[in-house]
Amino acid sequence: MCLCGGFAEDNARFILLAVVLVAYMLAGAVLFQRLESDLEVRQAAEFWRVYHAFRRHHLRGSPLALQRLHELLYAYGNASATGIINKRRRWDFPGSFHFVGTIVSTIGYGSTAPQTTAGKAAVILYGFFGCSGGILFFNLFLERIITFLAWILRNWHVQRLKRRLRRITLTSRRVSKSSSAQKSSLPDILDDDDDNNVDLDHWKPSVYWVMLYLSVTSCIIACCAAALYASLENWDYFDALYFAFVSFTTIGFGDYVSTQKPNYLHVHWYRIANFVFLVVGCCCIYSLLNVTSIVIKQGLNYVIHKLQYGNRDIAAPYLPRRRSSVPTIYCSKRRATRFVGRDSIRAEENSETPRRMSGELISMKDFLSANKVSLAVMQKQLYDAAQMQKGGGSLVATPNHQVLKPGAVGPLAIASEKFESKSTINR
C-alpha cells in the first residue's frame, strides 16, 4: 500500500515519527526553557554577588591574591566534579563496581569517569561488550516478564469463562423443560482439573492490559526505591523519585547519584538494595518503554490512514467488530474439537482464509514451549495486538503488501535474518 506522496507505509510511518519527535523536542525545549531559565539566571547572579563581595572585603585589589583565588575556585570545582572531596572514594572496589554498573546498564551518571588514558581505552573495549550484554539481558527479561503477565491473564481469562458458562448453563437448566438428555453435565471447560484440555493456545491478552500491569509494577518499584533513597540520602521524596526515574530509564543526568556520601547507616545492605533496585527498575522500565512504543506505532498508523483516506467510508476494516458477550463454541474432549472464546475467531476447516486473532498479545503455546519465542516475534505480535485491538485486522499477503516475517523485526531479528539466510544459502 502506498501513500499519495509515493511513500510506502513503512517509510511514511518513519517520516511521520521523525516529524513528531522533532515537534516533541521543540515543544520540550520551549517548556524547559520557561521552567529552568529564570533559576539559572538567579543562581549566576548570586554567585557573582558572593564573588565580588569577597573581593571587596578580603582582596582589596591585590593581583596575586586574585590569581590565587581563581586557582582555588578552579581546583575546587574540578575536585567537586570528580568526587575527590566531600564524597566517598571513587576507585575502591565498591566504587569501581558502581562505575561498571553504570556502563553495563548504559546509565552513565558521569559522577565517576576514568582520568587516565589506559582507563579511557579500557572503557571503550569493556563498554562495548558490557553494553551488548546488558541490552541482551534487558531483552531476555522483557520476554520473560511478558510471558509471566500473559500466563496470569490467561488463567484469569479461563476462570472468567468458567464462571460465565456456569451461570449460563445453570440458567438454561432452570428454564429448560426438556428431557434429561438435554440436562447434561456442564461443558468440559468447567472441569477444574482439565485446564490443559482447554485449547486456548492462541488466546492473547490485550497489549493495553500488559502496558497497565507494567506501569503499575514500575511505579511501585520506583516509589519503594524513592523511599529508600530519601531516607538514606537525605533527599526530598520527589527528588528521590526523580532520581529513580532518571536512573531506571538510563537517562542518567548525574545531578543526583546514590551511594556517594562517605558514610551511611548499614552501608553494605544499602549498596545491595541500591543494586537490586537499579537492576529491577531498569528491566521493568525497559519493558514498559518497548510496550509503549507499540502503542505509539499504532497511533502513527491511525494518523497515516486518516491522512491517506480522510473521512471516506473505508474505515470498516479498521473499526472494532462486535463480539458476542458469551463464548459461542464449546465441545467435549471426545470430539477433539477446539474451544473458541469471544476473543478469538476460528477459521472453518479446509478454509483458505488465514486465522484472525482479536487484538491480543502473545501466543501462550509459543511462550510456554521452552522459551523459543524471540524478542522479535514478541515485538511483532505486540504490534499486531495493538492493531487488532483497534479493529485493524490481521495482515494478509497481497501483491502490493509484503507480509513482514516475524524474524525481520527489531535489531536482534535483523541479525538473525541475516544469519538464517546465509546458512540457507550455504546449504
Side-chain angles (χ1 to χ4, degrees):
M1 179 184 296
C2 294
L3 297 177
C4 298
F7 293 106
E9 185 172 349
D10 289 340
N11 294 333
R13 187 187 302 112
F14 173 77
I15 295 174
L16 179 60
L17 178 59
V19 172
V20 171
L21 284 178
V22 170
Y24 189 75
M25 293 170 65
L26 292 175
V30 173
L31 173 64
F32 288 107
Q33 180 186 16
R34 290 183 176 275
L35 293 176
E36 300 293 334
S37 179
D38 292 340
L39 179 60
E40 178 189 28
V41 173
R42 291 197 301 269
Q43 289 177 338
E46 178 65 17
F47 170 77
W48 288 115
R49 185 191 67 80
V50 174
Y51 172 81
H52 290 298
F54 183 85
R55 285 187 58 180
R56 286 195 306 269
H57 291 88
H58 299 283
L59 299 183
R60 299 184 183 276
S62 174
L64 180 60
L66 181 61
Q67 180 182 358
R68 296 289 176 84
L69 174 63
H70 289 168
E71 291 176 353
L72 175 63
L73 292 177
Y74 181 78
Y76 183 85
N78 287 338
S80 179
T82 56
I84 297 175
I85 57 176
N86 300 327
K87 295 181 180 178
R88 65 165 175 80
R89 288 190 58 192
R90 287 292 188 265
W91 298 109
D92 56 358
F93 182 79
S96 300
F97 186 80
H98 182 270
F99 169 70
V100 297
T102 61
I103 293 178
V104 173
S105 63
T106 70
I107 296 177
Y109 291 118
S111 58
T112 302
Q115 303 294 319
T116 63
T117 303
K120 294 175 182 178
V123 165
I124 296 175
L125 182 62
Y126 185 89
F128 176 79
F129 292 102
C131 291
S132 301
I135 292 173
L136 176 61
F137 179 81
F138 291 153
N139 290 336
L140 296 178
F141 180 89
L142 173 61
E143 290 183 356
R144 279 148 184 80
I145 191 64
I146 297 296
T147 303
F148 179 68
L149 291 176
W151 177 77
I152 292 177
L153 291 174
R154 176 187 181 275
N155 290 337
W156 177 78
H157 180 70
V158 170
Q159 296 300 323
R160 186 181 62 177
L161 291 180
K162 288 181 178 181
R163 290 193 298 269
R164 185 176 302 158
L165 282 176
R166 185 175 287 109
R167 288 197 302 268
I168 294 173
T169 306
L170 293 177
T171 302
S172 63
R173 284 178 176 178
R174 288 194 298 265
V175 174
S176 176
K177 303 296 183 181
S178 58
S179 62
S180 60
Q182 294 176 332
K183 299 180 180 180
S184 59
S185 60
L186 295 178
D188 294 329
I189 190 175
L190 300 181
D191 297 337
D192 293 334
D193 299 331
D194 200 27
D195 287 349
N196 294 329
N197 291 318
V198 179
D199 193 353
L200 291 176
D201 290 339
H202 295 282
W203 181 86
K204 301 174 183 180
S206 169
V207 64
Y208 302 105
W209 278 108
V210 174
M211 181 178 174
L212 175 63
Y213 284 132
L214 284 175
S215 300
V216 172
T217 303
S218 300
C219 289
I220 292 175
I221 295 174
C223 291
C224 294
L228 176 67
Y229 296 136
S231 60
L232 294 178
E233 298 287 351
N234 294 325
W235 296 339
D236 292 337
Y237 184 80
F238 186 80
D239 292 336
L241 190 63
Y242 158 81
F243 165 75
F245 173 79
V246 169
S247 299
F248 295 168
T249 55
T250 70
I251 296 174
F253 290 123
D255 50 347
Y256 289 89
V257 183
S258 59
T259 68
Q260 299 300 298
K261 294 195 300 184
N263 298 305
Y264 289 98
L265 183 65
H266 307 297
V267 60
H268 298 295
W269 289 108
Y270 176 47
R271 286 172 177 169
I272 294 174
N274 176 63
F275 177 78
V276 171
F277 272 125
L278 289 179
V279 171
V280 177
C282 287
C283 289
C284 290
I285 292 293
Y286 178 84
S287 303
L288 177 60
L289 294 179
N290 275 272
V291 174
T292 305
S293 67
I294 295 171
V295 178
I296 294 175
K297 191 174 183 180
Q298 167 65 22
L300 294 176
N301 285 342
Y302 175 79
V303 174
I304 289 174
H305 289 297
K306 278 292 185 181
L307 293 176
Q308 184 175 8
Y309 299 116
N311 294 324
R312 286 181 290 173
D313 189 17
I314 59 172
Y318 303 98
L319 294 177
R321 298 179 182 273
R322 295 185 61 185
R323 301 189 183 99
S324 172
S325 60
V326 179
T328 57
I329 303 174
Y330 59 86
C331 301
S332 64
K333 293 178 286 186
R334 296 179 182 178
R335 300 183 63 181
T337 54
R338 292 185 173 184
F339 171 88
V340 181
R342 73 178 179 93
D343 288 333
S344 61
I345 300 177
R346 187 180 64 175
E348 297 294 334
E349 294 182 359
N350 301 325
S351 173
E352 296 180 356
T353 304
R355 183 187 302 273
R356 280 188 73 252
M357 291 303 148
S358 65
E360 304 296 316
L361 187 63
I362 306 300
S363 170
M364 287 303 301
K365 182 177 182 180
D366 293 336
F367 264 128
L368 300 177
S369 60
N371 292 324
K372 293 182 179 179
V373 176
S374 66
L375 174 66
V377 177
M378 188 276 302
Q379 288 175 331
K380 177 63 168 64
Q381 291 178 331
L382 274 173
Y383 166 65
D384 288 343
Q387 289 281 70
M388 300 300 300
Q389 191 73 11
K390 293 293 185 180
S394 58
L395 295 178
V396 181
T398 63
N400 296 326
H401 186 87
Q402 182 180 2
V403 176
L404 193 61
K405 296 180 180 179
V409 181
L412 291 179
I414 293 174
S416 300
E417 177 73 12
K418 296 296 183 181
F419 288 131
E420 290 174 1
S421 61
K422 183 177 180 180
S423 61
T424 304
I425 293 174
N426 292 337
R427 291 179 185 175

